[in-house]
């Protein structure tokens, strides 16, 4: 008792002091920071009241309030039930198609990043995708052989892929990579699928698209997961062997990104033979391989006027497989996708009759379940094909731009040594490193059986955008060599084709604003979707748990955000064992996550259902969310590959850029989050923009990477060796390390530009030592300053260089000149197809 009285006296005497106020605030901030239970808040609060000598009545009232909130049955009855009823009228409505999309796939590490308190120890233990020995053999064999068969310039110019390539693709099982071995397929992992597409895309975009589409969203994928055994046994072996060429019809003239608004229809009827059948009518556009397909996968709305299926009149979106030879099917025309010669086509169906058990994926049981099937498949597919193609494009830009910048000289120096060229070079290098990091990190989840739709949407959006940035930078570096078409130009086809990847599988504008944060806000938030679901179901107990858990989540993140902001992230802990120079990035990511989480709750709480329409706001949230994921993937790669010191410039430069982008988005949110309510709205805006926004800018979470990092990246890109080969691994590139000297010579004779650039790069590298001797001699005055051969002859005469070095300089000059040449044509060649 004496101790309690002494404690009370101490606090009472201290009460007038600022120290008590600050101390109380800090106590509650730290309780919130560590997410301690509500009863801890209760004990601390009652203890402070008692110590300050508060009246018994006041202390009892506070204690009673805590009891009200701590005893769940009382709380649910007196608070949660009326609160749930009040919120039912203001919560955003979720349509059936939106609900299906939200429930497709699962959440993964993105939930940690959304939570405000990511567990990086757990994240760093996630699997990292690797090829099996069998898959690597396929890459070294059939994939390499197909790349050698391709003449990308001839394919582009003649607007068709040769029949021998098509036959090779069929014979070697390229169209059945994802089909299990028991059905005659290759049974490859997502990683192998990605690697094949990545390599092919660096040789022929037409070949890569023709291979990747049958292995992405389409008949095989749907059948594997949802088909009946009879359907699997009939179709999968034929698809695996290339006896059937599939396509999948989803998009329509008025149903693109909003695929749920498709108008293609099917009507159930009972035929004279007693079987249930469907009469189909469709009008599809932008369907890859449709013209050459033998089986058309189709998404349509199914109606059952007589309720023959027992599912009501409006059965819903359904997927079916329709043989292209069925009467009424039209698929004899094609689009021209920016001159890239792959089959992209319209297809129509007029009163096409199919049997339900044969055609509908999953038979009668699959009727009306098509939307869920599509969402599940897209949840995985967005993380494989286009990210692979984009990563290949960035790696090809890395290798091409670095070779050209090293070989080509202006004012006596390799152009890559000019700081103006270093900037785009560093951007290309960092993006190639980061894209491969994110690709493999995501594939690790997919190969584990996890299908995270929000992460794969991030990958689709940012991979294609980063690749677009890389190819634009590459074009600037290449100059005239980039804008001159011909077999020597390795990047023009990718440059022209770039908008295709930006547009398909969900246009990037929509993906960013509607999927990454629109779905992510509900899917990844620990409580939001559960609140919406339990309100819709009238589940008081579930709502009580979700709502009060949400309140604790908000308080915790508010405290974490404040303390991490004040300490610039240093109160957060980096995982043990990480590289000392990357610890700051783990801390900054925790700071960013906490701030993101509390702002997301503020936006959802104040804007409610209107947030769906505020796409500029959701776009900024999506950017922060995505940049946190990409940064995490880069850190994961750095750890996976053994914390290589030589890779630190890539890691530091990219992560600095990502933090700067996160800060930019935070600035936009603080400037634009508004509440359209008189008086309160003005106060809200003042707090958000003028107080919190100003503090955020002063206490910035990140800044751009320094010039020193970009210099180190560019220098490493122009240096032959393991690092350059590793960062650009997996692309088609003829070099001594990958093919041997004899193969380089053979491919040189055939005019292979990759062999030409690699040979020139290596010869010029070997000649550098002699060039340094000559420059040193000129600087010391041993020989006069002259250009080219005149200078070499003086150096040879003075025995500054040897005869062998003189020959090497001459060879370097010759191959340098040949490597930077561009194609030219006679008028007849320019006008006609190639033989």
């Amino acid at each position: 008792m004496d101790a309690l009285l002494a404690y009370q006296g101490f606090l009472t005497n201290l009460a007038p002091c600022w120290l008590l106020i600050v101390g109380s605030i800090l106590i509650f901030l730290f309780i919130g920071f560590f997410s301690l239970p509500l009863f801890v808040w209760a004990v601390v609060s009652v203890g402070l009241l008692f110590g300050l000598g508060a009246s018994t009545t006041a202390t009892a009232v506070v204690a009673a309030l805590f009891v009200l909130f701590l005893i769940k049955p009382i709380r649910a009855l007196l608070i949660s039930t009326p609160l749930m009823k009040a919120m039912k009228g203001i919560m955003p409505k979720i349509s059936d198609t939106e609900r299906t999309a939200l429930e497709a796939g699962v959440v993964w590490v993105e939930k940690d990043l959304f939570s405000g308190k990511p567990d990086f120890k757990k994240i760093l233990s996630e699997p990292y995708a690797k090829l099996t020995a069998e898959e690597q053999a396929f890459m070294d064999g059939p994939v390499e052989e197909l790349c050698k068969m391709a003449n990308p310039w001839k394919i582009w110019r003649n607007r068709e892929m040769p029949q021998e390539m098509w036959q090779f693709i069929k014979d070697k099982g390229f169209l059945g990579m994802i089909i299990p071995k028991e059905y005659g397929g290759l049974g490859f992992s997502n990683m192998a699928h990605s690697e094949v597409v990545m390599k092919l895309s660096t040789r022929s975009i037409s070949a890569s698209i023709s291979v990747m589409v049958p292995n992405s969203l389409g008949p095989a994928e749907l059948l594997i997961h949802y088909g009946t055994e009879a359907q699997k046994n009939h179709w999968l072996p034929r698809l695996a062997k290339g006896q059937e060429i599939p396509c999948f019809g989803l998009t329509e003239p008025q149903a693109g990104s909003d695929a749920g608004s498709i108008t293609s229809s099917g009507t159930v009827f009972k035929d004279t033979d007693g079987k249930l059948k469907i009469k189909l009518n469709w009008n599809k556009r932008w369907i890859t391989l449709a013209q050459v397909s033998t089986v058309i996968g189709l998404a349509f709305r199914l109606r059952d006027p007589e309720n023959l299926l027992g599912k009501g009149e409006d059965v819903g979106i359904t997927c079916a497989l329709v043989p292209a030879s069925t009467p009424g099917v039209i698929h004899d025309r094609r689009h021209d996708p920016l001159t890239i010669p792959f089959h992209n086509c319209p297809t129509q169906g007029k009163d096409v009759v199919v049997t339900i058990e044969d055609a509908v994926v999953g038979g009668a049981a699959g009727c009306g379940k098509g939307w869920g099937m599509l969402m599940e498949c897209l949840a995985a597919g967005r993380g494989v094909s286009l990210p692979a193609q984009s990563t290949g494009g960035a790696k090809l830009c890395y290798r091409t731009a670095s070779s050209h910048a090293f070989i080509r000289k202006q004012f006596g120096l390799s152009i890559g040594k000019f700081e103006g060229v270093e900037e785009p070079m560093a951007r290309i290098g960092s993006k190639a490193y980061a894209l491969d990091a994110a690709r493999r990190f995501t594939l690790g989840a997919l190969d584990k059986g996890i299908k995270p739709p929000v992460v794969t949407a991030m990958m689709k959006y940012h991979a294609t955008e980063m690749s677009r940035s890389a190819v634009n930078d590459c074009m600037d570096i290449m100059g005239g060599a980039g804008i001159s078409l011909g077999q020597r130009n390795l990047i023009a086809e990718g440059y022209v084709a770039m908008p295709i990847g930006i547009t398909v599988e969900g246009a990037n504008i929509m993906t960013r604003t509607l999927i990454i944060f629109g779905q992510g806000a509900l899917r990844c938030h620990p409580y939001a979707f559960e609140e919406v679901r339990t309100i819709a179901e009238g589940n008081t107990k579930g709502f009580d748990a979700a709502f009060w858990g949400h309140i604790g989540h908000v308080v915790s993140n508010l405290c974490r955000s404040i303390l991490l902001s004040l300490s610039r992230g240093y109160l957060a802990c980096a995982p043990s064992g990480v590289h000392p120079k990357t610890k700051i990035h783990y801390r900054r990511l925790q700071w960013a996550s906490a701030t993101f989480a509390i702002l997301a709750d503020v936006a959802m709480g104040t804007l409610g259902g209107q947030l769906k329409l505020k796409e500029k706001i959701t776009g900024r949230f999506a950017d922060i969310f995505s940049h946190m994921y990409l940064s995490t993937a880069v850190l994961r790669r750095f750890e996976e590959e053994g914390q290589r010191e030589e890779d630190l410039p890539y890691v530091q430069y990219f992560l600095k850029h990502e933090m700067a982008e996160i800060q930019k988005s935070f600035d936009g949110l603080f400037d634009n989050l508004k509440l359209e309510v008189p008086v309160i709205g003005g106060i809200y805006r003042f707090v958000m923009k003028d107080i919190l926004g100003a503090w955020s800018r002063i206490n910035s979470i990140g800044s751009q990477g320094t010039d020193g990092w970009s210099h180190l990246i560019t220098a490493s890109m122009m240096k032959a060796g393991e690092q350059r080969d590793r960062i650009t691994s997996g692309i088609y590139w003829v070099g001594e390390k990958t093919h041997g000297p004899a193969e380089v010579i053979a491919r040189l004779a055939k005019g292979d530009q990759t062999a030409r650039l690699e040979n020139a790069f290596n010869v010029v590298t070997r000649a550098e030592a002699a060039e340094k001797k000559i420059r040193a001699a000129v600087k010391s005055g041993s020989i006069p300053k002259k250009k080219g051969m005149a200078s070499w002859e003086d150096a040879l005469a003075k025995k500054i260089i040897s005869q062998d070095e003189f020959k090497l300089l001459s060879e370097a000059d010759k191959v340098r000149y040949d490597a930077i040449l561009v194609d030219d044509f006679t008028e007849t060649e320019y006008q006609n197809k190639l033989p």
Side-chain angles (χ1 to χ4, degrees):
M1 188 66 183
D2 292 340
L4 288 174
L5 291 172
Y7 161 72
Q8 187 177 41
F10 170 72
L11 288 183
T12 302
N13 292 330
L14 197 63
C17 300
W18 64 269
L19 187 61
L20 178 62
I21 299 170
V22 173
S24 300
I25 292 172
L26 288 176
I27 287 172
F28 283 103
L29 283 176
F30 274 98
I31 289 174
F33 183 87
F34 292 106
S35 305
L36 296 178
L38 185 60
F39 77 86
V40 176
W41 290 86
V43 171
V44 172
S45 300
V46 172
L48 284 173
L49 285 170
F50 176 80
L52 291 170
S55 66
T56 304
T57 302
T59 304
V61 168
V62 172
L65 286 172
F66 275 112
V67 167
L68 175 63
F69 285 100
L70 282 169
I71 301 176
K72 293 181 181 179
I74 297 175
R75 182 182 69 194
L77 178 65
L78 299 180
I79 301 177
S80 298
T81 299
L83 185 62
M84 185 178 73
K85 291 178 180 177
M87 290 180 68
K88 192 166 187 176
I90 61 174
M91 289 297 284
K93 303 295 182 184
I94 299 178
S95 67
D96 290 340
T97 53
E98 287 178 312
R99 181 179 295 275
T100 301
L102 284 167
E103 292 174 347
V106 297
V107 289
W108 182 47
V109 299
E110 72 276 24
K111 186 172 184 178
D112 273 79
L113 297 172
F114 202 106
S115 71
K117 192 177 180 181
D119 182 352
F120 283 108
K121 182 179 179 181
K122 182 185 78 174
I123 291 171
L124 291 178
S125 68
E126 287 292 332
Y128 209 64
K130 293 180 175 65
L131 293 176
T132 65
E134 180 187 8
E135 291 167 343
Q136 186 61 58
F138 188 79
M139 294 299 303
D140 297 337
V143 179
E144 178 69 20
E145 192 173 347
L146 181 59
C147 287
K148 290 177 183 177
M149 290 174 67
N151 183 326
W153 171 239
K154 186 180 288 187
I155 292 171
W156 192 8
R157 187 68 177 271
N158 291 348
R159 297 171 68 79
E160 64 180 359
M161 196 164 65
Q163 282 303 309
E164 56 266 29
M165 282 186 64
W166 264 114
Q167 195 59 48
F168 186 85
I169 286 170
K170 295 175 184 179
D171 292 343
K172 296 299 181 181
F174 280 88
L175 301 182
M177 291 190 295
I178 66 168
I179 295 175
K181 291 182 178 180
E182 58 263 35
Y183 296 105
L186 298 179
F188 281 173
S189 64
N190 289 290
M191 175 63 178
H193 176 190
S194 174
E195 288 282 302
V196 171
V197 171
M198 182 175 73
K199 185 163 187 171
L200 289 178
S201 70
T202 62
R203 183 59 170 169
S204 169
I205 291 176
S206 300
S208 72
I209 293 174
S210 299
V211 166
M212 81 185 193
V213 169
N215 288 285
S216 185
L217 176 63
E221 177 80 3
L222 291 168
L223 286 168
I224 290 167
H225 296 291
Y226 313 107
T228 65
E229 282 306 311
Q231 289 171 340
K232 291 178 183 179
N233 290 330
H234 173 76
W235 288 111
L236 290 179
R238 298 174 63 81
L239 289 167
K241 293 181 177 68
Q243 294 171 347
E244 303 283 356
I245 303 295
C247 72
F248 190 84
L250 177 59
T251 53
E252 301 175 0
Q254 298 186 69
S257 298
D258 182 14
S261 66
I262 58 176
T263 58
S264 296
S265 64
T267 303
V268 179
F269 70 97
K270 182 176 284 189
D271 207 348
T272 55
D273 60 5
K275 293 182 179 180
L276 292 182
K277 297 183 180 180
I278 301 173
K279 182 179 289 186
L280 294 163
N281 285 278
W282 72 82
N283 182 21
K284 300 290 185 179
R285 290 289 187 275
W286 308 293
I287 311 305
T288 303
L289 297 182
Q291 189 191 40
V292 295
S293 66
T294 60
V295 57
I296 298 172
L298 193 71
F300 60 95
R301 290 191 174 278
L302 181 61
R303 293 181 64 256
D304 185 5
E306 300 177 51
N307 197 23
L308 297 171
L309 294 170
K311 297 183 178 184
E313 182 176 347
D314 185 7
V315 180
I317 294 175
T318 301
C319 293
L321 303 184
V322 182
S325 59
T326 308
V329 174
I330 302 169
H331 65 129
D332 58 351
R333 298 178 66 82
R334 62 190 295 184
H335 305 301
D336 187 357
L338 291 176
T339 75
I340 306 302
F342 68 96
H343 287 85
N344 187 262
C345 321
T347 174
Q348 295 86 34
K350 296 182 180 180
D351 295 335
V352 178
V353 176
V354 295
T355 303
I356 286 181
E357 281 304 318
D358 294 336
V360 173
V361 177
C367 291
K369 296 182 179 179
W371 187 242
M373 295 177 185
L374 295 174
M375 291 302 98
E376 286 279 352
C377 292
L378 282 170
R382 286 194 182 105
V384 182
S385 297
L386 288 172
Q389 197 175 62
S390 300
T391 304
K395 288 183 176 185
L396 182 64
C397 287
Y398 180 116
R399 198 84 183 193
T400 304
S402 62
S403 298
H404 180 85
F406 179 65
I407 293 164
R408 182 165 173 76
K409 282 188 174 182
Q410 293 289 281
F411 309 104
L413 284 175
S414 294
I415 64 170
K417 294 183 179 179
F418 291 94
E419 289 196 355
V421 177
E422 277 189 354
E423 284 186 295
M425 286 271 283
R427 289 195 294 264
I428 292 171
S430 66
K431 285 181 172 67
Y433 182 90
L435 272 172
D436 211 23
R439 179 184 73 95
R440 295 188 65 183
F441 187 43
T442 305
L443 290 168
L446 294 174
D447 281 338
K448 189 179 174 182
I450 297 171
K451 296 180 180 179
V454 175
V455 162
T456 56
M458 291 178 187
M459 284 301 299
K460 189 274 170 181
Y461 173 77
H462 283 280
T464 53
E465 292 293 346
M466 289 165 69
S467 184
R468 172 156 64 175
S469 170
V471 77
N472 283 339
D473 279 333
C474 191
M475 286 291 287
D476 290 346
I477 293 166
M478 299 292 289
I483 64 171
S484 301
L485 289 175
Q487 63 181 358
R488 289 171 175 261
N489 193 328
L490 298 175
I491 61 169
E493 187 181 21
Y495 177 80
V496 173
M498 193 54 63
I500 299 172
I502 298 293
T503 303
V504 299
E505 290 191 14
N508 276 9
I509 291 174
M510 181 275 296
T511 300
R512 172 177 176 257
T513 58
L514 296 182
I515 300 180
I516 297 175
F517 186 75
Q519 288 188 20
L522 289 177
R523 282 304 307 268
C524 302
H525 194 287
Y527 302 101
F529 187 56
E530 192 64 13
E531 287 172 310
V532 173
R533 187 184 66 79
T534 52
I535 287 174
E537 295 173 353
N539 180 354
T540 304
K541 183 177 179 181
F543 173 77
D544 177 80
F547 180 80
W548 295 108
H550 194 162
I551 295 297
H553 173 75
V554 169
V555 172
S556 172
N557 278 324
L558 178 62
C559 296
R560 283 180 60 78
S561 179
I562 292 171
L563 289 174
L564 290 176
S565 178
L566 291 171
S567 68
R568 294 195 52 76
Y570 279 96
L571 280 176
C573 295
S576 60
V578 301
H579 194 285
K581 290 185 178 179
T582 63
K583 286 184 177 180
I584 184 64
H585 300 301
Y586 290 98
R587 295 184 177 119
R588 293 284 173 88
L589 280 172
Q590 294 202 52
W591 174 13
S593 176
T595 306
F596 169 83
I598 192 63
L599 278 180
D601 272 314
V602 168
M604 288 189 286
T606 56
L607 295 174
Q610 289 297 308
L611 184 59
K612 290 169 62 176
L613 305 177
K614 302 288 185 180
E615 294 184 0
K616 295 174 186 175
I617 297 294
T618 59
R620 293 183 180 101
F621 275 118
D623 290 342
I624 297 168
F625 198 12
S626 299
H627 291 310
M628 289 194 294
Y629 179 74
L630 293 172
S631 299
T632 300
V634 166
L635 290 167
R636 177 68 181 88
R637 175 179 183 174
F638 186 65
E639 292 302 314
E640 175 68 22
E641 295 183 351
Q643 302 182 2
R644 296 170 183 260
E645 291 289 332
E646 67 270 25
D647 287 354
L648 269 175
Y650 291 84
V651 174
Q652 298 280 37
Y653 184 89
F654 184 78
L655 291 178
K656 289 283 282 183
H657 171 268
E658 293 299 278
M659 288 298 122
E661 289 298 305
I662 287 173
Q663 180 62 42
K664 178 181 174 182
S665 296
F666 276 138
D667 292 344
L669 288 174
F670 285 122
D671 281 350
N672 292 284
L673 278 171
K674 300 176 184 178
L675 188 61
E676 304 296 337
V677 179
V679 182
I680 296 176
I683 297 171
Y684 177 86
R685 182 162 174 76
F686 173 74
V687 171
M688 292 300 294
K689 182 176 182 179
D690 299 326
I691 297 179
L692 298 179
W695 169 250
S696 176
R697 285 179 170 83
I698 293 168
N699 190 42
S700 173
I701 202 168
S703 58
Q704 292 289 343
T706 63
D707 293 344
W709 293 125
S710 62
H711 174 75
L712 290 172
I713 291 171
T714 304
S716 75
M717 291 172 71
M718 297 192 298
K719 181 180 179 182
E722 183 274 338
Q723 185 183 26
R724 185 170 186 260
D725 293 335
R726 172 169 49 84
I727 293 178
T728 58
S729 64
I731 67 172
Y732 176 79
W733 192 270
V734 178
E736 293 182 6
K737 294 286 181 67
T738 54
H739 293 78
E743 178 70 10
V744 173
I745 293 170
R747 299 304 294 182
L748 268 172
K750 294 182 179 180
D752 191 308
Q753 181 65 4
T754 68
R756 183 182 288 113
L757 285 174
E758 186 69 7
N759 180 60
F761 187 91
N762 290 330
V763 173
V764 172
T765 296
R766 292 197 298 270
E768 269 199 314
E771 287 185 343
K772 286 181 180 179
K773 290 180 182 180
I774 294 171
R775 286 197 297 270
V778 170
K779 188 174 182 180
S780 67
S782 300
I783 57 174
K785 184 177 181 179
K786 295 180 182 179
K787 289 187 177 181
M789 187 169 290
S791 181
W792 309 340
E793 289 172 342
D794 286 349
L796 181 62
K798 293 277 189 178
K799 295 186 178 180
I800 293 168
I801 60 173
S802 67
Q803 186 66 44
D804 287 340
E805 287 175 316
F806 182 87
K807 289 179 180 178
L808 183 58
L809 287 168
S810 299
E811 183 187 359
D813 191 55
K814 178 182 176 181
V815 297
R816 186 197 303 272
Y817 180 78
D818 180 56
I820 64 173
L821 290 178
V822 299
D823 294 287
D824 50 62
F825 312 94
T826 66
E827 187 62 28
T828 302
E829 290 170 335
Y830 181 79
Q831 296 292 343
N832 296 330
K833 281 189 173 184
L834 299 176

